[in-house]
Amino acid sequence: MSDDEGGGSLYVLTAVLLTPAQFPSILGDDFPEACSLLGVAPGGDGYGLVLGQDEEGARWTVVVDDVSLVATAIASWDCGMEYDLSPDERTIVVSLAGWPLELSVAASGIPEPHDPEQGADGTGRVPLAPPSAEAWGPVQRRMGADQIAREWADWRERVATDGGAAAAAHPGLARALEEAAGYTKSPPPPGRVRSSFAGEGVRTLRVDGPGWSLVARTGEAAFVLLDEEPSEVLAVPREGDSDLPDLPDLLTALDAIAVRPS
């Protein structure tokens, strides 16, 4: 694709959506936070992020407002089909140096991926880069919840059987569930509660808050990860007590307010 703002052509490697219903959790707990990290306004239908390299091999992230075009490209690639993603120059919102996500691919015939000099994109900011995986924190917590969602059957078998009783006594679990229940009474920022198809009559829920992430399937189970418990996965008991709400009711209520992919 041609990028007037970046000053040349971009060899597209991949693309992701940045919408209230679908955005890389690595970028934030909700849609506005993810947009803030990239310096764009959290409005409209969201954005598409096009990641690629210029002729010198430099990493660039091009933010475009043609969400449907990027969604079509992603769907085509997921089906193993070729798709030439070339957004119209008028849809480009901003071109940012670096990549916010880790990529294992590179364009052929040009230098290896590297960051352009700071300020090359005109923003004066340090080029985007994936967060370090060395230390546990909010990013790793959200990525852990994403992994559980992808590997649901394995995690449900590994944790749900014997993890609930011990987890029930954890004060962080009670805090997370209380705040999640609060979302059903006072709507949180867009993207804090997301719902996606997981089978006939079943939805996967991703819910995030300050210091915690919840991943669940309606009618099944739920797990919570906490900033204060590195790499630990807490299974939520199905039946509540004086401190914990009943899980089925909570998941039903959360699904009712969740944003969903269009």
Side-chain angles (χ1 to χ4, degrees):
M1 63 176 279
S2 175
D3 174 14
D4 278 358
E5 204 169 325
S9 297
L10 187 76
Y11 296 87
V12 175
L13 299 177
T14 191
V16 295
L17 292 177
L18 176 61
T19 71
Q22 291 177 275
F23 60 89
S25 293
I26 197 172
L27 300 180
D29 282 330
D30 52 51
F31 175 63
E33 184 178 343
C35 289
S36 177
L37 186 145
L38 298 175
V40 296
D45 296 326
Y47 307 95
L49 307 182
V50 181
L51 281 63
Q53 295 174 259
D54 63 19
E55 299 96 327
E56 304 300 323
R59 303 180 182 99
W60 289 92
T61 298
V62 179
V63 183
V64 301
D65 59 16
D66 192 341
V67 177
S68 60
L69 176 66
V70 175
T72 299
I74 294 172
S76 298
W77 296 335
D78 286 346
C79 293
M81 301 168 58
E82 292 187 4
Y83 192 94
D84 180 16
L85 178 55
S86 298
D88 190 291
E89 294 162 2
R90 293 171 295 182
T91 69
I92 295 176
V93 177
V94 66
S95 296
L96 301 171
W99 296 334
L101 311 175
E102 190 75 49
L103 296 187
S104 59
V105 296
S108 60
I110 61 175
E112 289 295 309
H114 63 274
D115 287 335
E117 294 182 3
Q118 182 174 344
D121 57 9
T123 67
R125 57 190 288 171
V126 174
L128 299 170
S132 170
E134 296 299 319
W136 179 265
V139 170
Q140 290 72 26
R141 176 247 303 165
R142 293 190 296 264
M143 293 175 65
D146 288 344
Q147 181 181 1
I148 293 173
R150 290 193 302 269
E151 303 170 1
W152 179 260
D154 291 342
W155 278 96
R156 191 176 192 278
E157 182 177 349
R158 287 166 57 183
V159 181
T161 302
D162 57 4
H170 197 293
L173 178 63
R175 183 187 74 249
L177 295 180
E178 180 181 359
E179 292 181 7
Y183 289 167
T184 66
K185 302 177 178 64
S186 179
R192 284 279 178 98
V193 185
R194 290 171 280 159
S195 175
S196 59
F197 178 78
E200 188 66 33
V202 181
R203 307 290 298 185
T204 293
L205 293 177
R206 278 286 283 109
V207 189
D208 294 287
W212 58 270
S213 290
L214 180 147
V215 56
R217 281 197 179 178
T218 55
E220 295 189 28
F223 305 104
V224 167
L225 294 86
L226 303 169
D227 282 357
E228 68 227 51
E229 294 291 349
S231 303
E232 292 295 321
V233 178
L234 306 180
V236 181
R238 286 188 60 82
E239 296 184 0
D241 55 26
S242 58
D243 296 319
L244 303 179
D246 285 338
L247 182 61
D249 292 343
L250 176 61
L251 297 184
T252 298
L254 287 170
D255 188 49
I257 66 166
V259 291
R260 305 181 177 215
S262 56

